[in-house]
Amino acid sequence: MEHWTAYWQATTSLNSFAEGEAATGYQGDLAHFWQTQLADLPTDALIADLGTGNGALALLVAGQRQSQQKNWRILALDAAAIRPQQSLAQQPRYAKLAAVIRFYPQVAMEQLPFARQSMDLLISQFALEYSKLELSLAEAVRVLKPGGRLVAIMHSHETALANDSALALSVMAALNAGNGILDRIQQLLQLVTHLYAQQQLPEQNAGFLQANRQLMAQVKHYQQQISAAEADWFQYLFAPFAALLFQPKAENSQQFLLLRQQLGYYRQRLADQQAACITPLRRQLIDKLLQQQGWQTSWQELRVEGELFGLTLTSFAG
Ligand SMILES: C[S@@+](CC[C@H](N)C(=O)[O-])C[C@H]1O[C@@H](n2cnc3c(N)ncnc32)[C@H](O)[C@@H]1O
């Protein structure tokens, strides 16, 4: 979970895959989907958001609670050490809404801290499918009231997001390969540190200049082999490392290690996402796990601005 903890503690984005305007919460088709799920809840309903991250979905529920003048209790948990109150404190328009949410950091959905048959609605966006489904679905069934519902939006292996993540992972693999581009940059930066210790300027050192040329040739060779979409990812991922070489400083070796750790976390988050995607086989597994508890399942494709965004699962005792 370190890779998710590092992400949530560093970002002010409310969700994990969107930047810009979308990072400020769920809107449009997505907000509409969730608002529909909340429409028929009793006024004192107990609702839990599983895998909440910085609370984008829980906040949407809190907004609906306020506009509909409901008395819902909203709980939001995540296995990572989230600190949403900290990032939300910097966003005053959310502070009041966040105050009605009880956040549970470092709580896994495989072991919910809720009583049997206590919850009216369990919701999850891009998180339930990351869990151990045998355990988390059994927990969902345990804590939901008779008549309660589980609703989740899950990654599909057919979305543009999944395809794009696969491309990013292949570029990351090339960067990280043994004797690959990052290893070479690391060696160069170590040389820079050594040269400065000897009072020498890297740009006047033949060894540095030659190693730099070899690196640039390797980069060019790689760029010639990849697609335009991979080239975009390469540019994005490589740029912060390349910047360390353009202005060589003794302390850049340390900065490199930090950047490489962040890249490693990013790779793990994308690998999690790929593994979480709902394929026909995983969908069958979910159906089987819920149906053997006597629960019904229904699936829909969810489109946002006309594009496939994910699959929705709705389940209740039937
Ligand atoms: C892709 S993020 C989605 C976060 C949020 N729901 C959103 O819409 O942005 C997946 C989240 O699931 C959390 N997670 C993964 N496995 C989990 C588990 N077993 N129990 C609870 N949370 C989990 C991760 O820590 C991460 O915050």
Side-chain angles (χ1 to χ4, degrees):
M1 275 301 136
E2 209 180 315
H3 51 302
W4 285 110
T5 295
Y7 176 75
W8 292 120
Q9 293 193 357
T11 185
T12 53
S13 172
L14 289 183
N15 59 59
S16 59
F17 60 93
E19 279 155 17
E21 178 65 10
T24 62
Y26 291 134
Q27 293 144 15
D29 292 335
L30 259 182
H32 177 73
F33 170 82
W34 285 116
Q35 281 154 3
T36 311
Q37 306 309 313
L38 302 169
D40 57 353
L41 284 175
T43 189
D44 58 350
L46 200 50
I47 304 166
D49 176 20
L50 310 180
T52 193
N54 262 356
L57 183 51
L59 280 165
L60 184 145
V61 178
Q64 193 76 352
R65 174 189 189 273
Q66 188 184 49
S67 64
Q68 306 276 306
Q69 299 183 336
K70 301 285 185 181
N71 209 12
W72 300 333
R73 276 180 296 154
I74 308 167
L75 315 174
L77 61 92
D78 201 288
I82 52 168
R83 286 201 296 244
Q85 305 291 13
Q86 180 181 290
S87 79
L88 291 166
Q90 292 160 28
Q91 307 186 57
R93 70 192 177 113
Y94 289 123
K96 200 169 158 211
L97 287 180
V100 303
I101 302 169
R102 178 166 174 194
F103 285 101
Y104 295 74
Q106 291 179 288
V107 170
M109 60 185 103
E110 289 86 349
Q111 224 174 344
L112 294 175
F114 311 135
R116 190 173 166 271
Q117 298 193 346
S118 57
M119 311 292 307
D120 294 274
L121 179 66
L122 293 180
I123 51 178
S124 177
Q125 176 157 333
F126 295 152
L128 176 64
E129 66 276 38
Y130 288 68
S131 67
K132 295 189 182 79
L133 293 165
E134 286 82 355
L135 300 175
S136 54
L137 293 176
E139 276 294 80
V141 167
R142 179 182 69 80
V143 303
L144 279 164
K145 287 178 185 169
R149 253 177 317 139
L150 167 68
V151 182
I153 297 180
M154 305 206 212
H155 292 299
S156 155
H157 68 299
E158 291 176 323
T159 55
L161 185 74
N163 287 334
D164 199 39
S165 302
L167 294 178
L169 281 167
S170 87
V171 173
M172 288 175 182
L175 282 169
N176 273 316
N179 269 332
I181 292 167
L182 292 190
D183 279 358
R184 278 187 188 261
I185 294 180
Q186 186 164 21
Q187 286 155 16
L188 264 168
L189 291 172
Q190 282 162 353
L191 179 59
V192 168
T193 309
H194 172 75
L195 291 171
Y196 277 120
Q198 312 272 311
Q199 318 267 326
Q200 291 183 45
L201 289 175
E203 50 273 35
Q204 291 172 4
N205 179 275
F208 174 83
L209 292 174
Q210 194 196 358
N212 213 351
R213 275 196 300 275
Q214 281 170 350
L215 170 69
M216 288 310 140
Q218 190 173 357
V219 166
K220 203 168 160 196
H221 178 68
Y222 176 65
Q223 283 177 311
Q224 282 163 349
Q225 297 170 15
I226 55 181
S227 66
E230 284 169 315
D232 286 346
W233 269 110
F234 179 76
Q235 186 137 348
Y236 173 69
L237 297 170
F238 176 64
F241 291 99
L244 299 179
L245 282 177
F246 287 136
Q247 287 186 321
K249 291 188 210 132
E251 61 271 26
N252 280 5
S253 275
Q254 277 308 105
Q255 185 61 20
F256 172 89
L257 293 178
L258 216 86
L259 283 177
R260 197 165 195 176
Q261 184 191 43
Q262 283 166 4
L263 183 69
Y265 287 152
Y266 193 8
R267 194 198 63 73
Q268 275 178 280
R269 295 200 311 273
L270 291 183
D272 279 6
Q273 187 202 96
Q274 289 283 295
C277 279
I278 300 300
T279 57
L281 217 69
R282 297 196 83 218
R283 183 168 155 167
Q284 272 174 25
L285 173 71
I286 292 172
D287 283 341
K288 189 176 116 197
L289 290 168
L290 287 166
Q291 286 165 11
Q292 69 194 13
Q293 305 257 15
W295 281 51
Q296 296 184 15
T297 56
S298 105
W299 295 88
Q300 302 280 337
E301 284 189 350
L302 181 70
R303 293 188 175 269
V304 167
E305 292 170 9
E307 285 224 15
L308 181 64
F309 180 79
L311 294 176
T312 66
L313 165 72
T314 306
S315 187
F316 46 86

